[in-house]
Amino acid sequence: MSRNKIKKPMSTASGRGPMSVNLDKAKDSKGTLKRLLTYLDESKKILVAVLIFIIAYVVLNTSQSLILQPIIDDYIVPLLENPADVEAKVGCIKMIIILFLICMSTAVCSFVQSKLMIKVSQKVIKQLRDEVFKKIQKLPIKYFDTHPHGELMSRITNDIDNISTALNTSINQLISGVLTVVVVLVILFVISPVLATVSLLSLPVILIVVGKIAQYNKIQFIKQQEALADVNGYIQEYVSGQRVIKAFNKEDDVKYEFNIRNENLRKNGFMAQTVAGMVMPIMGNISNISTAITTILAGIFCINGKITLGTITIFSKFSKEYSRPITEIANQFNVIQAGIAGAERIFEIIDEEEEYPENVGKPEIGKLEGHVEFKNVYFGYKENENILKDINIDAKPGKTIAIVGPTGAGKTTTINLLTRFYDVTKGQILIDGKDVREVEKDSLRDSLGIVLQDTVLFSGTVMDNIRYGRIDATDEEIIEAAKLADAHGFIKRLPQGYNTIISEDAGNISKGQAQLINIARVILNNPQILVLDEATSNVDTRMEVKIQKAMNKLLEGRTSFVIAHRLSTIVNSDKILVINDGQIIEQGNHNELIAKKGVYYKMYTGIFDEAS
C-alpha cells in the first residue's frame, strides 16, 4: 500500500485541526478567582487555623531578624573590643539558643500551615471533580457531539491538577506575604523613616511590573491549556483508531499531524513559561537595586553615628524581607495563572446548560401501553436546516416498526428524537398520548430499551455489565436474562464464567458476544418500548441468526423500532418505513412494499441506487 503524504493537517474525528483559542476566556480572571475562593467556605475553621499558624510564622520569622540587632550590638561588638568579656560570651550563647528555638518554631508553623492548606485544597479539588462529573451526566448528547472527548479529559485531569497546585502553594503564600510586608514596613519605619521611605520607592515599580506580566501571562496560559487539550484529544483519537491507522498504513500521516499539534503546544508552552520566568530576575534586580541604595544610605548614617552596626544589619535584612514575599508570589505566577486558566475551563463545563433543565418537576410517564406517534415532526441540527421533514408515524402497542433507507437518510436521527437525545424543531412525539417533552426525561428513558450498532461494555465482570440494565437485579435474574438473550452458553464457557473481567474495549470477547450481553442488559431492564439500531450489522451471518433469535424474544409484546440495513431481518415487521432525504417515501408491510415495486423493492432485490 502506498503512503499518501499530506501537506496539511487532516481534520480529526472531531472536525477540528489544531485548536484555535478564544481569548475571551481570559477576560474574567477576578471573577474566576472570586468564584474559586467560594469553594473554601466549607473549610472556614481549618482556614482560621491556617491563618493563626501563618501569623505565628510571620511573627517568628520576623523575630529571627530582630534578634540579630541585640546579638550584634550587645554581644558581638563588645567581644570584638574585649574577647575576654565572659558576660558577653554567655549572653551571646543564650541569644543563639533562643534564635535556634525560634527557627525551629518557625519551621513547625510553616509545616503545619502547609499541611492544613493541602487538606483544604484537596477538599476543594474533590468538590470540583464531583461537580464536573455530575455535570457531565446532565449534559445533552449534542455537547458530546461537538466537544472532543480528549479535550474533556484534559479539562477534568490537567486543569483540575493545575487548580490543585495553585491552591496548595498560592493562598498561604499570599497571606503570609501580605502580613510579612505590612509587619516589615512598620518595623522599617520605626527604625528609620527616611531609609524606609527610600526602600519603599521600589514597591510601586514591583507592583506595576507584576501586574503587567500577569495580564499578558494569563493569555499565554490559556493558549497553553488549549493546545494541551488538543494534543490530548488527538492522542485519544489515535489510540482508539489504531486498527484503522495500521490497516491504511497511515502511521507517517498521523505522526505528521501529531507533530503539528505538539509543535503548537511547544510554542505556547515556551511563551507561557518564558514570560513567567521573567518575573524572578526582574523582581530580584529591582529588589537588589533598592537594597543597595538603602544600604549605602544606612552606611552613611552609621558613620555619622545616627544608627548602629546592628541596625544596619537588620535594616538591610528587612529591606530584602519586604520585597521577598512579592518576588516569591510573582515567581509563582505560572502556577497561579495556570490555576486560574484551569478554573475558567472547568467553570465553563459547570456552567453549560443542562439537558432539558425545564423538565425538572414534570410528571413521570407512568406505566405504558406503548402507543407511539410522530405527528408532523421536523428536525434540524442547525436552525432553518431541517434534516427530517413532516415525519408521521403511528406505532400501535406491541407492534414492530422497521425503518430502512440509505446512509444519511435520517433513520438514526428519528430514533434520537424518540429518546430525547435531541428535541423536535416542530411537531410532536407522543407516547400513550403524552408529549415526550412534557414528561420527566429520566422516567421516559427508563421506559425505553436501546440496542445500538456499536455495543458499549464497561470494564468489569460480565455480571456487572448485564446488571447495568437494573442495578438492583439479583444474580438469578441476571442469569435468566442471559438465557433469554441466548448468551448463557458462551458466558459459561468463559474462563471465570459470569465473573470474567471484560477488558476496557471488550477485546477479549467477540462483537457478537458483546451484543448478546447488551441484549441481556436490555431484557433485564424489561422496557415497554424497544429501539434496535442496526444491532446485527457488525457480526457474521451465524452470529446474526443467534442475535436475531434473541431479539425476537426481546420484541415479544413490546412496541419496537428497528433500524436495519440487512432487510432480511425485518421482513416480519408489522410496518416498514422507507426514509430518504429526511422524508418517509414508502410505508407498508414487506409484501405490500414488494408488490409496489418501488424503492423498497429495489433495495430488497439489490438494485437500489442511492444516488437515484
Side-chain angles (χ1 to χ4, degrees):
M1 186 181 295
S2 63
R3 296 178 187 268
N4 298 318
K5 297 294 183 184
I6 55 177
K7 303 301 182 185
K8 61 180 180 178
M10 297 185 298
S11 61
T12 65
S14 61
R16 295 150 57 120
M19 192 173 295
S20 61
V21 180
N22 179 6
L23 297 184
D24 289 342
K25 296 177 183 177
K27 289 184 177 178
D28 192 22
S29 298
K30 292 182 180 178
T32 300
L33 183 59
K34 184 177 179 181
R35 180 174 177 182
L36 184 60
L37 293 178
T38 61
Y39 285 80
L40 299 174
D41 289 345
E42 296 182 6
S43 303
K44 287 181 178 178
K45 291 182 179 179
I46 299 178
L47 288 174
V48 169
V50 170
L51 181 60
I52 291 172
F53 278 101
I54 288 176
I55 292 172
Y57 168 81
V58 171
V59 170
L60 291 169
N61 193 46
T62 306
S63 300
Q64 291 180 39
S65 300
L66 285 174
I67 205 171
L68 289 175
Q69 183 179 13
I71 290 176
I72 294 172
D73 290 341
D74 297 342
Y75 303 109
I76 293 179
V77 171
L79 282 172
L80 290 173
E81 295 174 353
N82 180 15
D85 190 337
V86 176
E87 184 178 348
K89 289 181 180 179
V90 173
C92 187
I93 292 171
K94 287 181 179 179
M95 294 301 290
I96 290 173
I97 292 173
I98 293 172
L99 181 60
F100 173 77
L101 292 175
I102 290 174
C103 290
M104 292 299 296
S105 300
T106 304
V108 170
C109 289
S110 177
F111 172 77
V112 172
Q113 58 95 0
S114 177
K115 186 175 181 180
L116 289 174
M117 199 61 231
I118 289 172
K119 182 177 181 180
V120 171
S121 67
Q122 289 307 307
K123 184 177 180 180
V124 170
I125 295 307
K126 178 181 180 298
Q127 185 178 350
L128 279 172
R129 284 199 186 102
D130 285 343
E131 284 191 25
V132 172
F133 191 78
K134 289 176 182 177
K135 184 70 176 190
I136 288 174
Q137 313 308 309
K138 298 178 181 180
L139 292 176
I141 291 295
K142 66 180 179 182
Y143 182 86
F144 300 100
D145 289 343
T146 55
H147 289 75
H149 297 172
E151 182 191 353
L152 292 177
M153 289 299 298
S154 180
R155 294 194 185 202
I156 296 171
T157 54
N158 296 328
D159 287 334
I160 286 185
D161 282 345
N162 287 337
I163 297 171
S164 175
T165 304
L167 288 175
N168 283 341
T169 60
S170 62
I171 292 181
N172 48 1
Q173 282 199 359
L174 284 170
I175 297 173
S176 65
V178 170
L179 288 176
T180 298
V181 169
V182 171
V183 171
V184 168
L185 285 176
V186 170
I187 294 173
L188 288 177
F189 273 99
V190 170
I191 294 172
S192 173
V194 175
L195 292 177
T197 302
V198 173
S199 181
L200 193 62
L201 293 177
S202 65
L203 185 58
V205 179
I206 291 175
L207 294 177
I208 291 171
V209 172
V210 170
K212 292 294 184 182
I213 292 176
Q215 185 177 8
Y216 180 73
N217 207 31
K218 176 63 189 305
I219 297 175
Q220 298 306 315
F221 270 99
I222 286 288
K223 289 182 178 180
Q224 177 182 303
Q225 290 302 103
E226 294 283 2
L228 178 61
D230 188 37
V231 168
N232 287 341
Y234 189 76
I235 290 173
Q236 185 188 50
E237 191 176 72
Y238 167 76
V239 171
S240 62
Q242 271 295 300
R243 295 187 183 216
V244 176
I245 291 168
K246 291 184 183 299
F248 284 91
N249 205 21
K250 291 291 184 182
E251 290 92 337
D252 286 349
D253 293 347
V254 168
K255 186 188 297 185
Y256 175 80
E257 292 190 50
F258 176 78
N259 286 340
I260 290 176
R261 288 163 172 79
N262 200 23
E263 176 63 14
N264 185 45
L265 175 58
R266 185 199 67 79
K267 287 180 179 178
N268 286 297
F270 175 79
M271 285 300 299
Q273 299 300 330
T274 299
V275 174
M278 292 167 56
V279 174
M280 192 64 174
I282 292 174
M283 297 300 100
N285 287 331
I286 295 173
S287 176
N288 289 335
I289 292 171
S290 175
T291 302
I293 294 173
T294 53
T295 302
I296 292 171
L297 288 175
I300 295 172
F301 288 169
C302 182
I303 293 172
N304 294 328
K306 294 181 178 180
I307 58 176
T308 64
L309 182 61
T311 303
I312 293 178
T313 303
I314 66 168
F315 195 93
S316 297
K317 185 172 177 55
F318 277 128
S319 65
K320 290 281 290 183
E321 194 71 23
Y322 91 85
S323 61
R324 178 188 57 80
I326 301 174
T327 305
E328 288 179 353
I329 293 170
N331 194 41
Q332 287 288 322
F333 267 3
N334 59 334
V335 176
I336 295 171
Q337 296 299 330
I340 293 175
E344 283 188 354
R345 286 158 54 78
I346 290 298
F347 290 145
E348 282 177 7
I349 298 178
I350 293 175
D351 292 340
E352 282 287 337
E353 184 176 349
E354 295 181 5
E355 185 181 38
Y356 313 127
E358 77 285 352
N359 211 241
V360 176
K362 291 192 175 180
E364 294 189 358
I365 196 166
K367 186 174 177 59
L368 297 179
E369 293 182 8
H371 185 196
V372 179
E373 298 174 272
F374 284 64
K375 291 188 173 182
N376 307 114
V377 167
Y378 289 78
F379 173 75
Y381 292 102
K382 297 180 180 178
E383 192 174 354
N384 300 322
E385 293 184 18
N386 286 321
I387 295 173
L388 298 180
K389 307 155 193 172
D390 199 24
I391 298 295
N392 289 277
I393 302 173
D394 189 3
K396 302 296 184 184
K399 300 298 181 180
T400 298
I401 308 297
I403 303 176
V404 300
T407 301
K411 304 184 297 295
T412 300
T413 301
T414 303
I415 297 305
N416 284 340
L417 297 180
L418 175 62
T419 56
R420 285 203 78 192
F421 290 159
Y422 290 89
D423 264 344
V424 300
T425 303
K426 181 182 176 183
Q428 283 184 303
I429 298 178
L430 307 175
I431 298 180
D432 291 351
K434 300 173 183 176
D435 192 317
V436 295
R437 294 169 295 184
E438 298 303 322
V439 297
E440 204 273 323
K441 69 174 176 61
D442 289 344
S443 68
L444 168 68
R445 289 176 183 164
D446 281 341
S447 67
L448 302 173
I450 305 175
V451 180
L452 301 172
Q453 174 183 355
D454 297 320
T455 58
V456 177
L457 298 181
F458 301 97
S459 181
T461 66
V462 174
M463 184 77 76
D464 291 337
N465 270 278
I466 298 176
R467 184 176 275 117
Y468 202 79
R470 183 159 58 84
I471 298 300
D472 61 350
T474 64
D475 291 354
E476 291 73 19
E477 288 174 319
I478 290 170
I479 293 172
E480 183 60 30
K483 289 179 178 178
L484 290 173
D486 208 8
H488 180 71
F490 90 80
I491 293 174
K492 293 297 291 182
R493 291 192 296 272
L494 292 174
Q496 283 82 41
Y498 282 87
N499 292 318
T500 299
I501 299 293
I502 296 176
S503 62
E504 185 176 352
D505 59 352
N508 55 339
I509 59 175
S510 71
K511 288 187 177 181
Q513 290 171 335
Q515 191 65 288
L516 290 176
I517 292 175
N518 195 32
I519 292 172
R521 178 193 292 168
V522 175
I523 289 175
L524 186 66
N525 189 39
N526 193 28
Q528 185 56 38
I529 300 172
L530 279 175
V531 174
L532 309 178
D533 189 353
E534 301 194 31
T536 63
S537 61
N538 284 332
V539 298
D540 57 40
T541 305
R542 185 183 66 83
M543 184 57 75
E544 179 184 0
V545 172
K546 196 167 187 177
I547 292 176
Q548 192 62 47
K549 181 181 176 182
M551 288 197 302
N552 289 338
K553 294 179 183 177
L554 189 59
L555 295 173
E556 291 177 3
R558 295 179 172 90
T559 307
S560 306
F561 292 84
V562 181
I563 297 175
H565 74 284
R566 296 181 184 176
L567 302 188
S568 59
T569 62
I570 50 96
V571 294
N572 294 322
S573 300
D574 296 293
K575 184 183 290 186
I576 299 171
L577 307 177
V578 182
I579 294 183
N580 194 17
D581 194 26
Q583 295 178 298
I584 298 175
I585 57 175
E586 289 182 0
Q587 59 181 301
N589 61 36
H590 173 74
N591 292 332
E592 291 170 347
L593 294 177
I594 289 294
K596 285 183 179 180
K597 292 194 175 182
V599 173
Y600 179 81
Y601 171 80
K602 293 177 182 179
M603 292 174 66
Y604 189 77
T605 55
I607 60 175
F608 179 74
D609 180 3
E610 288 193 12
S612 63

